[in-house]
Amino acid sequence: MSEPLSLLPQTNVQIRRRFPRLHRSALWRRFFHWRQLDFEFALWQMLYLLVSPRHVYRNIYYHKQTKNQWARDDPAFMILQVFGILAATAAYSVVGGVGVHGFLKALVPLLVVNYVVAGILLATVTWFVANRFLRHQNVHAADQQVEWQYAFDVHCNSFFAFFVFAYVLQFLFLPLLMKTSWISLFLGNSLFVLAASAYAYITYLGFHAMPFLQHQEIFLYTIPMAAVAYLISLFGFNVSHHLIDYYF
């Protein structure tokens, strides 16, 4: 099904594509106007990313119809994610007794590397693959492209599910996971394979919501790879132990 044509003048659409900073600037301006941030809607999205992620992307499709862009224009979701990572890092630091220095040492890889740097790299890769290989070649339809900012939004959505499985649930089961039994290995590694699978699935849904793309199932190919790595890890590689030792 082809997407309805936008009511905006084509010249405005072309300007947005050529100069993406023009429509991204509204997002960054709202960082300094907290009363305009919709934290309630961001929390709603987080809840539904866990229970019904398709519903989230259906809502994003409606956002596209009204505002003519796929990407978020409200940074509330990202702000809540950053606070969540800060809170999780603080909780692990308190339990581990590593102090302020240990907290800062863990925060850099968890927030800067895992969330920001890895997010930029993954968003760039998925953005390039989608635009280069997955777009419908239809001469009768208007040329449409995936916005890089939307690809980063998809990463943020996927990372939230990963965060819940790999950070939050792991913390709740930490007393059991830190034991040396096979049960702790099985539970810890299962949480991480679920986190990786959730990341891949929500990424797939994010690009599947775009009607001008095809073959989005390639984003699911990492799930069998994660499953194979998971089965191998059950022979003695405890992911939770190694990551806790590395970060803290």
Side-chain angles (χ1 to χ4, degrees):
M1 180 179 178
S2 61
E3 186 180 0
L5 293 177
S6 169
L7 297 179
L8 293 178
Q10 183 65 22
T11 53
N12 289 349
V13 176
Q14 291 174 343
I15 290 174
R16 282 188 173 189
R17 287 174 181 166
R18 293 180 183 177
F19 304 99
R21 291 182 182 178
L22 293 178
H23 77 272
R24 286 205 299 264
S25 60
L27 175 75
W28 302 117
R29 281 199 303 269
R30 295 183 72 171
F31 270 111
F32 305 101
H33 297 84
W34 283 64
R35 292 183 179 181
Q36 299 179 11
L37 301 181
D38 193 347
F39 289 107
E40 182 179 353
F41 180 67
L43 289 171
W44 175 89
Q45 285 189 315
M46 289 179 171
L47 173 63
Y48 273 87
L49 281 170
L50 298 177
V51 300
S52 181
R54 287 182 180 272
H55 199 74
V56 175
Y57 286 112
R58 191 177 302 121
N59 182 272
I60 290 174
Y61 180 80
Y62 297 148
H63 172 84
K64 160 65 177 174
Q65 305 311 305
T66 57
K67 297 193 177 182
N68 198 45
Q69 71 178 61
W70 289 92
R72 288 186 176 98
D73 55 2
D74 187 337
F77 189 94
M78 289 184 288
I79 292 172
L80 289 177
Q81 279 194 306
V82 170
F83 277 112
I85 295 172
L86 289 171
T89 307
Y92 278 99
S93 300
V94 170
V95 171
V98 297
V100 176
H101 179 266
F103 166 77
L104 296 175
K105 180 183 176 182
L107 184 63
V108 172
L110 288 173
L111 177 59
V112 179
V113 178
N114 292 3
Y115 180 63
V116 178
V117 176
I120 291 174
L121 292 176
L122 289 169
T124 302
V125 170
T126 55
W127 165 79
F128 174 79
V129 169
N131 283 324
R132 180 66 177 84
F133 302 107
L134 305 185
R135 286 193 300 158
H136 284 291
Q137 301 299 323
N138 190 341
V139 295
H140 301 292
D143 183 45
Q144 300 180 80
Q145 293 189 348
V146 177
E147 307 159 7
W148 185 92
Q149 187 181 328
Y150 177 74
F152 188 79
D153 283 346
V154 171
H155 158 72
C156 291
N157 294 341
S158 304
F159 184 86
F160 175 73
F162 182 92
F163 172 81
V164 170
F165 284 108
Y167 290 60
V168 178
L169 290 182
Q170 180 180 239
F171 180 79
L172 297 178
F173 290 103
L174 202 57
L176 175 60
L177 296 179
M178 287 299 97
K179 294 182 179 180
T180 56
S181 65
W182 189 84
I183 294 299
S184 67
L185 181 150
F186 171 77
L187 178 59
N189 291 9
S190 297
L191 288 176
F192 277 97
V193 75
L194 286 174
S197 299
Y199 187 99
Y201 178 65
I202 295 177
T203 298
Y204 156 76
L205 290 180
F207 291 98
H208 187 264
M210 311 186 92
F212 57 90
L213 297 181
Q214 59 185 344
H215 305 308
Q216 298 96 324
E217 61 274 6
I218 67 168
F219 295 112
L220 296 174
Y221 291 170
T222 55
I223 294 180
M225 298 168 59
V228 171
Y230 166 69
L231 293 175
I232 295 173
S233 73
L234 294 180
F235 288 94
F237 185 83
N238 193 313
V239 178
S240 296
H241 284 190
H242 284 81
L243 290 181
I244 293 295
D245 290 342
Y246 174 76
Y247 289 122
F248 300 97

